[in-house]
C-alpha cells in the first residue's frame, strides 16, 4: 500500500513509520513541517517537508502520489498550551485537518486513520470510559480533536471515505532498540519530565494538584506504550482495508496510575531520588481518565504486549539517556 503519514517525523508518527517499514510492502510518504518532528526520527519512508495549512501543496502531493490510505498524526498536543492559545489549536488541529480530509475526498483516498484523544471525553461521568460516553471536552485541545471526529463522521456519511478514530490515552515509552523516542525540547508529559528531572536536566518535578477527588489526591491516567498504540493502527488499517465501516476505538489498557505512583516508579527505575514539589492544579486537567478498551480488543483483536508501567518507563529512560548523552 502507499500510505501517507502526516506528522511521521514526530514521536508517535515515527514509531508508526518504523513499524510500517518493518512490515514491508508499504510505500511510506511522510508529510511533516518539522515544527516538533525531526528528520532523523525517520527510520524509513520518504519525507516531504510541508504544512497542512498549504492546501495547494497537499493537492499537488495527492495528485503525484495516489495514496491508498492516510494516517494523520500531525497535531499540537499540549493541553495547557491549548488553554492559553486556543486559536493555534483550532487552526492546526481542526482547520488544517479539513484541508487533509478535503484532499482525500478530492483524490478518492478512502481510508483515513485519525489520532484522536481521550481528551474528547472531558471529565467522564464513569471510568473506565466507553466510546459511547458523551463528548464534553474541557480544553481546546480536546475540542479541536472532537471537531475533527465530527467532521470525519459527516464526511464518511456523504462520501466513500471511511475512517477509524483512535482515542489515545497517555502514550509513553520508546522503541525497544532505543532508536527513536520523544524528542520535544520543552516536554510537558509527566513521564518525560520526571525522567529529565532524574537526569538532572530540571531542578524539580512539579506535581500539579494534590486535591483531586482520587485516592491519593493526584490525577489518574491510563499510560499506554507507544508500540501497542502503533499496533492498534496496523489493525485499524487492516479493518478499513477489509471494507469495514467507520468506527471509533479507545486505546488504553483499562487501568490507571496516579501522578504520585508514576513518580515513585520513575524514582525506582532510575534509582534517582529527585526533588518533587507539590503545586497548584494545571488548567484543563481532568481528575481521572481510564479507557474501557473492550471494543478494540473484541472487534480488532488488539492484544497489547507492553501493559507494564515499569517497561514503559524503562524504555523511555534508556531513550532519554541516549538523547542527552548520559551514561
Ligand atoms: N503532571 C504533573 N507534572 C508534570 C507533568 C504532568 O503533575 O510536570 C500531571 C498532569 O497534571 C496530569 C498527569 O500528570 O495530571 C498527566 O499529564 P501529561 O501532561 O503527561 O498528559 P495529559 O494527561 O495532560 O495529556 C496526555 C496527552 C493528551 C491526551 C491525554 C489523554 O498529551 O494528548 O494524555 O489522557 F489527550
Amino acid at each position: 500500500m502507499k500510505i501517507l503519514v502526516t506528522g511521521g517525523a514526530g514521536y508517535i508518527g515515527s514509531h508508526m513509520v518504523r513499524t510500517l517499514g518493518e512490515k514491508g510492502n508499504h510505500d511510506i510518504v511522510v508529510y511533516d513541517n518539522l515544527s516538533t518532528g525531526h528528520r532523523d526520527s525517520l527510520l524509513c519512508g520518504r519525507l516531504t517537508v510541508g504544512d497542512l495549512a498549504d492546501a495547494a501543496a497537499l493537492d499537488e502531493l495527492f495528485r503525484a502520489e495516489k495514496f491508498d490510505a492516510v494516517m494523520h498524526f500531525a497535531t499540537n498536543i499540549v493541553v495547557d498550551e491549548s488553554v492559553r492559545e486556543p486559536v493555534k489549536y483550532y487552526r492546526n488541529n481542526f482547520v488544517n485537518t479539513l484541508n487533509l480530509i478535503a484532499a482525500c475526498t478530492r483524490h478518492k483516498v478512502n481510508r483515513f486513520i485519525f489520532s484522536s484523544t481521550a481528551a474528547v471525553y472531558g471529565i467522564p461521568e464513569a471510568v473506565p470510559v466507553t466510546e459511547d460516553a458523551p463528548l464534553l471536552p474541557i480544553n481546546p485541545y480536546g475540542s479541536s480533536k472532537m471537531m475533527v471526529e465530527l467532521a470525519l463522521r459527516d464526511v464518511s456519511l456523504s462520501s466513500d471515505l471511511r475512517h477509524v478514530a483512535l482515542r489515545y490515552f497517555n502514550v509513553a515509552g520508546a522503541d525497544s532498540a532505543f532508536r527513536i523516542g520523544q524528542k520535544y525540547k520543552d516536554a510537558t508529559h509527566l513521564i518525560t519530565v520526571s525522567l529529565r528531572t532524574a537526569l538532572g536536566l530540571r531542578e524539580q518535578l512539579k506535581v500539579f494538584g494534590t486535591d483531586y477527588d482520587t485516592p491519593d489526591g493526584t490525577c489518574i491516567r491510563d499510560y499506554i506504550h507507544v508500540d501497542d498504540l502503533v499496533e492498534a493502527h496496523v489493525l485499524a488499517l487492516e479493518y478499513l482495508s477489509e471494507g469495514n465501516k467507520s468506527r471509533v476505538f479507545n486505546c488504553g489498557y483499562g487501568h490507571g496510575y496516579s501522578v504520585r505512583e508514576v513518580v515513585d516508579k520513575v524514582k525506582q527505575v532510575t534509582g534517582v531520588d529527585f526533588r518533587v514539589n507539590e503545586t497548584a492544579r494545571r488548567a484543563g486537567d481532568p481528575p481521572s481518565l481510564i479507557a474501557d478498551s473492550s471494543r478494540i480488543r473484541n472487534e480488532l483483536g488488539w492484544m497489547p504486549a507492553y501493559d507494564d508501567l515499569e517497561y514503559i518507563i524503562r524504555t523511555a529512560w534508556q531513550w532519554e539517556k541516549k538523547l542527552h548523552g548520559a551514561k
Side-chain angles (χ1 to χ4, degrees):
M1 262 191 258
K2 187 180 274 196
I3 305 172
L4 174 65
V5 183
T6 74
Y11 166 50
I12 301 172
S14 63
H15 285 79
M16 188 74 242
V17 168
R18 175 215 58 198
T19 291
L20 290 173
E22 284 170 358
K23 300 235 177 218
N25 284 338
H26 296 304
D27 184 2
I28 308 153
V29 176
V30 171
Y31 191 73
D32 198 303
N33 66 7
L34 300 181
S35 59
T36 54
H38 297 264
R39 207 177 277 275
D40 62 7
S41 296
L42 288 173
L43 299 179
C44 54
R46 294 182 278 130
L47 173 67
T48 296
V49 178
D51 202 291
L52 292 172
D54 190 347
L58 272 179
D59 206 48
E60 188 52 46
L61 182 72
F62 273 70
R63 189 171 308 117
E65 297 283 2
K66 311 253 180 296
F67 299 114
D68 297 301
V70 168
M71 293 186 169
H72 177 35
F73 295 90
T75 202
N76 293 119
I77 57 154
V78 180
V79 170
D80 72 324
E81 181 188 51
S82 81
V83 176
R84 285 181 274 112
E85 295 184 58
V87 173
K88 172 176 172 180
Y89 278 70
Y90 288 116
R91 181 174 290 131
N92 288 348
N93 293 1
F94 177 61
V95 177
N96 291 350
T97 298
L98 288 182
N99 289 339
L100 182 65
I101 295 171
C104 287
T105 54
R106 207 175 310 120
H107 295 274
K108 310 261 177 279
V109 179
N110 58 16
R111 280 166 276 187
F112 194 103
I113 299 179
F114 174 55
S115 305
S116 191
T117 171
V120 296
Y121 296 117
I123 300 176
E125 230 167 62
V127 283
V129 59
T130 70
E131 290 85 350
D132 296 325
L135 304 187
L136 298 166
I138 59 163
N139 51 59
Y141 168 69
S143 300
S144 67
K145 291 280 185 174
M146 178 189 74
M147 288 159 74
V148 174
E149 281 201 23
L150 297 178
L152 281 170
R153 181 198 66 189
D154 294 341
V155 173
S156 291
L157 289 172
S158 69
S159 73
D160 289 338
L161 185 125
R162 285 169 299 113
H163 72 278
V164 166
L166 296 174
R167 293 183 182 150
Y168 304 176
F169 284 65
N170 286 59
V171 189
D175 172 57
S176 58
F178 321 122
R179 294 164 295 178
I180 46 178
Q182 268 206 37
K183 278 186 109 169
Y184 311 127
K185 237 180 4 39
D186 305 314
T188 58
H189 287 130
L190 177 63
I191 291 178
T192 307
V193 174
S194 302
L195 291 170
R196 290 183 186 176
T197 313
L199 276 176
L201 299 168
R202 296 187 184 218
E203 236 169 64
Q204 57 177 10
L205 176 88
K206 288 186 185 165
V207 171
F208 298 131
T210 53
D211 58 348
Y212 286 97
D213 186 16
T214 58
D216 72 11
T218 65
C219 292
I220 295 176
R221 294 289 182 273
D222 186 338
Y223 294 88
I224 164 176
H225 192 279
V226 62
D227 285 345
D228 278 332
L229 180 69
V230 160
E231 201 49 40
H233 289 71
V234 171
L235 296 171
L237 184 58
E238 283 170 16
Y239 169 90
L240 289 176
S241 299
E242 287 158 6
N244 292 303
K245 63 178 199 297
S246 297
R247 200 80 170 124
V248 176
F249 297 100
N250 282 341
C251 290
Y253 291 141
H255 57 88
Y257 296 95
S258 72
V259 173
R260 283 201 173 111
E261 286 171 326
V262 171
V263 170
D264 286 349
K265 189 56 93 182
V266 170
K267 287 187 173 181
Q268 183 201 318
V269 168
T270 61
V272 183
D273 187 16
F274 51 87
R275 199 167 143 218
V276 175
N277 184 5
E278 296 183 346
T279 64
R281 291 181 179 199
R282 187 174 72 173
D285 276 341
S288 180
L289 274 175
I290 298 171
D292 180 324
S293 53
S294 19
R295 184 186 285 182
I296 190 167
R297 290 173 197 262
N298 295 338
E299 295 185 19
L300 299 190
W302 183 61
M303 282 194 297
Y306 307 107
D307 179 1
D308 174 358
L309 184 64
E310 184 168 329
Y311 176 79
I312 293 173
I313 292 173
R314 214 160 6 92
T315 53
W317 176 232
Q318 294 302 333
W319 165 253
E320 285 298 327
K321 286 199 289 185
K322 181 175 166 191
L323 183 64
H324 299 287
K327 288 264 149 56

